[in-house]
Amino acid sequence: MTGDGSSAPTTPATLTAWSDLVYWLLDAEDAAGAAAANVERLQNLLRMLGPNHPDTLDTRHQLAFWQARSGRPGCR
């Protein structure tokens, strides 16, 4: 938990863990779960690193791909 009572990640290690979660969801053939996890990861990357950071841009790309693959086209 962060100091404001939310459970948003506050460290790079936590963002890496989110990335790992997405990988394992994909490995389990759960495209919808991976897309949902990537939405949350993207929100945290935007908050922590900003919209133009390479990790944020890569996550946007991954999100669009997996949302389309899961039948939910579009990217936030």
Side-chain angles (χ1 to χ4, degrees):
M1 301 246 314
T2 60
D4 64 1
S6 72
S7 60
T10 58
T11 67
T14 307
L15 292 174
T16 299
W18 272 105
S19 181
D20 293 345
L21 172 63
V22 170
Y23 171 83
W24 289 111
L25 287 168
L26 293 173
D27 191 56
E29 300 181 8
D30 183 0
N38 247 350
V39 167
E40 196 160 341
R41 182 170 189 260
L42 177 60
Q43 292 168 348
N44 289 310
L45 285 167
L46 286 166
R47 182 179 54 79
M48 292 176 65
L49 303 176
N52 296 318
H53 190 278
D55 290 349
T56 305
L57 296 171
D58 183 56
T59 299
R60 282 186 191 273
H61 171 79
Q62 290 175 24
L63 177 59
F65 178 82
W66 289 110
Q67 282 182 327
R69 183 98 181 241
S70 71
R72 291 180 39 217
C75 183
R76 292 178 188 222

